[in-house]
Amino acid sequence: MALFTGCMAGCGQQAFRTVDADEFEKAILTDSVQLVDVRTAEEFSEARIGSAEVKNIDMKQPDFMRRAAEELDKGKTVAVYCRSGRRSAEAAGWLAGQGYKVIDLKGGILEWQERGKNTTR
C-alpha cells in the first residue's frame, strides 16, 4: 500500500491499479491490453503468463523505460507482472508516471500459479 501511495504522490495524476489473478486474466484476454513480464530473461524462459504476445522487458535493466517507450502503445492498457508483485508494482509506477494506463498483477506469477492459472514456456 505504501508503494501505491508513493506512486500516487510521486507520479502526479497518473496511477495504476493492482488487481487479483481473476481480474488480470479477464483483462489480458482483450485485444486492447499489452501483457508485459518485467522479470529477467532467465525467469521469463522458465514460465510465463500468456502466449507469444507477452513482452519481456526486464525492469532491472537500465534501458527499461527506453524499451517500454519503443515497444508499448500508450493508447492501450499495459498489464504488468513479475515473480511476486514487488518489481511489477515499481514498474507500474514508472510507466504510469509516463502516461501509460497500467494494471499490476497482485502477487505476481506465484499467485497466478497458486490460483491454478496456466503458464507457458
Side-chain angles (χ1 to χ4, degrees), residues 43-90:
E43 290 173 302
F44 183 76
S45 70
E46 292 171 0
R48 62 182 172 266
I49 295 171
S51 63
E53 298 298 316
V54 63
K55 296 179 186 301
N56 179 220
I57 308 175
D58 183 350
M59 66 87 51
K60 288 186 174 183
Q61 295 301 311
D63 65 345
F64 173 76
M65 289 306 296
R66 180 190 57 78
R67 285 195 55 210
E70 290 173 356
E71 297 182 35
L72 301 175
D73 178 351
K74 281 189 178 178
K76 294 183 176 184
T77 298
V78 179
V80 296
Y81 72 93
C82 64
R83 181 179 168 274
S84 66
R86 197 175 97 219
R87 282 178 282 177
S88 62
E90 187 175 351

Side-chain angles (χ1 to χ4, degrees), residues 9 19 57 109 112:
V19 299
I57 308 175
I109 197 169
W112 181 269

Side-chain angles (χ1 to χ4, degrees), residues 24 32-36 72-74 76-80 95 100-104:
F24 195 82
S32 62
V33 173
Q34 305 162 96
L35 182 58
V36 179
L72 301 175
D73 178 351
K74 281 189 178 178
K76 294 183 176 184
T77 298
V78 179
V80 296
L95 292 168
Y100 292 91
K101 181 179 177 186
V102 185
I103 59 171
D104 172 43

